[in-house]
Amino acid sequence: AMEDVSAKFVSQKISRTRWRPLPAAALQPPDLFATGSWDNEDNRISIWSAGDLGNAGLNGEYHGEPHLLCDIQHNGDVMDMQFLDQERIVVASSTGTVTIFRHHQNNQTLSANHRWEKAHYHVDQDTSCGGAACTGVVCSNPEIVTVGEDGRINLFRADQKDAVRTIDNADSSTLHAVTFLRTTEILTVNSIGQLKIWDLRQQRNEPSQIFSLAGDRVPLHCVDRHPNQQHIVATGGQDGMLSIWDIRQGTMPVSLLNAHEAEMWEVHFHPSDPDHLFTCSEDGSLWHWDTSTNVSEKPSFLHQGGRSTAYLSHSTINQSVVSAWLSNDPTKDRMEITNLIPNQTLSVNSLDVLGPCLVYGTDAEAIYVNRQLFA
């Protein structure tokens, strides 16, 4: 229910929100998150405390609002952002620069720890206006992979000054997002509706596999990999559709699901409960997709904000491991979709989920935290 959501107005448009990862053995819910802004004269990276859980009311509902712990100026729009570890955040800029910021928890400050100037550029790195936006970043500590408007892929290591590897003309179109499939393999999505797999062990500068949306060449903006089944990938793009891919078979999506009415900006499988997936859009909505099979026994929060049941299209090949996302059994194909923000108007640019908590940021200059996603 909306009562579980706390809002904070921050007088800057928020382009990215990310939970700080929890230590491996942690039992508590996530407490800190980072935001990045865009389209402001003075963009910032900010670290927030999600609020005081000690403020819970009689029924355990949560009243604290997020509060700012520290922030630092960022040159250019924040295009993407990911925590490298508990203390460091990698940030991609519209200027083409990639920066690692360190959060000093003892005195609550942020500092620039390392910077790769113009990791992405159009003509050459030296011209003053040569920077090309770095559109996506993904980390697997100490490795960092970045992609950009220049169609370039960089592999950095957190402790090294120069790129470990650069694939200069990886793509002739804009690369919008990147994710790790496994330690040595990445997957990119581009502005003409293609997914490409790159094997970083190979010295060749060509993808090992290419997948594409049939015919339409719809720009893809976001991608996420199923946390336990590496062959299942979700993407979203300019037309707001959610596509589910099985990279073991075919070159086209297994399912195309009608979703948002405008660009889908981010898609995230829940990291520990991947039957749940979340998408957000330019149309001001944030959808929770629930494919867990006992939908009928779900608590009523699913019916908040307009509920609909969708059916996946079927793939013809029997899966050896049937995930709900690739299911062939029509009775299992039901899923519930809930818009978690029924009357939002401006773009929801970013979301992140961890444990029972959701954080999202909007062009309405606000960040929102829901601490009871599965209440």
Side-chain angles (χ1 to χ4, degrees), residues 1 4-6 19 340 356-359 368-373:
D4 299 324
V5 176
S6 54
W19 288 112
L340 296 181
C357 301
L358 163 73
V359 60
Y368 299 84
V369 175
N370 179 341
R371 305 281 305 227
Q372 305 190 333
L373 210 41

Side-chain angles (χ1 to χ4, degrees), residues 118-170:
K118 289 195 192 159
H120 294 271
Y121 54 91
H122 282 306
V123 191
D124 61 85
Q125 269 172 305
D126 305 324
T127 49
S128 59
C129 59
C134 177
T135 49
V137 59
V138 65
C139 306
S140 175
N141 192 6
E143 261 81 37
I144 298 163
V145 175
T146 69
V147 297
E149 238 170 46
D150 52 0
R152 192 174 266 108
I153 298 173
N154 290 306
L155 172 61
F156 296 109
R157 220 164 262 133
D159 47 12
Q160 292 184 18
K161 191 168 149 299
D162 297 316
V164 178
R165 169 125 191 245
T166 294
I167 305 178
D168 268 329
N169 300 308

Side-chain angles (χ1 to χ4, degrees), residues 318-344:
N318 263 319
Q319 269 78 32
S320 46
V321 180
V322 176
S323 155
W325 294 105
L326 304 178
S327 167
N328 276 326
D329 172 356
T331 57
K332 280 213 183 76
D333 280 356
R334 301 184 72 117
M335 68 167 121
E336 293 221 26
I337 302 166
T338 312
N339 181 7
L340 296 181
I341 32 181
N343 29 22
Q344 167 75 24

Side-chain angles (χ1 to χ4, degrees), residues 239-243 256-262 264 279 281 283 285 287 289 337:
D239 58 2
M241 296 277 282
L242 173 64
S243 303
L256 284 171
L257 301 165
N258 276 315
H260 302 278
E261 290 170 14
M264 184 190 295
T279 59
S281 168
D283 68 9
S285 62
W287 285 16
W289 307 69
I337 302 166

Side-chain angles (χ1 to χ4, degrees), residues 246-265:
D246 181 348
I247 59 172
R248 299 170 307 182
Q249 51 162 315
T251 56
M252 282 160 55
V254 176
S255 312
L256 284 171
L257 301 165
N258 276 315
H260 302 278
E261 290 170 14
E263 290 90 340
M264 184 190 295
W265 293 131

Side-chain angles (χ1 to χ4, degrees), residues 51-200:
D52 182 9
L53 272 177
N55 275 347
L58 293 175
N59 306 322
E61 75 275 30
Y62 155 78
H63 293 306
E65 65 163 31
H67 61 266
L68 182 66
L69 295 175
C70 50
D71 65 355
I72 192 169
Q73 190 170 359
H74 178 265
N75 193 10
D77 291 339
V78 173
M79 302 293 288
D80 201 9
M81 177 164 78
Q82 201 176 32
F83 276 89
L84 183 67
D85 54 28
Q86 296 284 300
E87 294 175 345
R88 291 176 295 174
I89 314 163
V90 183
V91 181
S93 170
S94 58
T95 64
T97 294
V98 177
T99 310
I100 302 180
F101 290 95
R102 185 179 285 275
H103 174 213
H104 305 271
Q105 297 180 49
N106 50 358
N107 61 358
Q108 292 303 342
T109 57
L110 273 166
S111 65
N113 184 240
H114 188 81
R115 193 171 271 133
W116 291 283
E117 295 284 349
K118 289 195 192 159
H120 294 271
Y121 54 91
H122 282 306
V123 191
D124 61 85
Q125 269 172 305
D126 305 324
T127 49
S128 59
C129 59
C134 177
T135 49
V137 59
V138 65
C139 306
S140 175
N141 192 6
E143 261 81 37
I144 298 163
V145 175
T146 69
V147 297
E149 238 170 46
D150 52 0
R152 192 174 266 108
I153 298 173
N154 290 306
L155 172 61
F156 296 109
R157 220 164 262 133
D159 47 12
Q160 292 184 18
K161 191 168 149 299
D162 297 316
V164 178
R165 169 125 191 245
T166 294
I167 305 178
D168 268 329
N169 300 308
D171 211 302
S172 54
S173 54
T174 296
L175 289 168
H176 279 142
V178 58
T179 189
F180 275 101
L181 288 179
R182 43 184 71 85
T183 328
T184 57
E185 270 190 332
I186 57 165
L187 184 142
T188 57
V189 297
N190 71 12
S191 59
I192 57 169
Q194 293 173 319
L195 279 68
K196 297 183 181 178
I197 297 179
W198 306 83
D199 185 339
L200 296 173

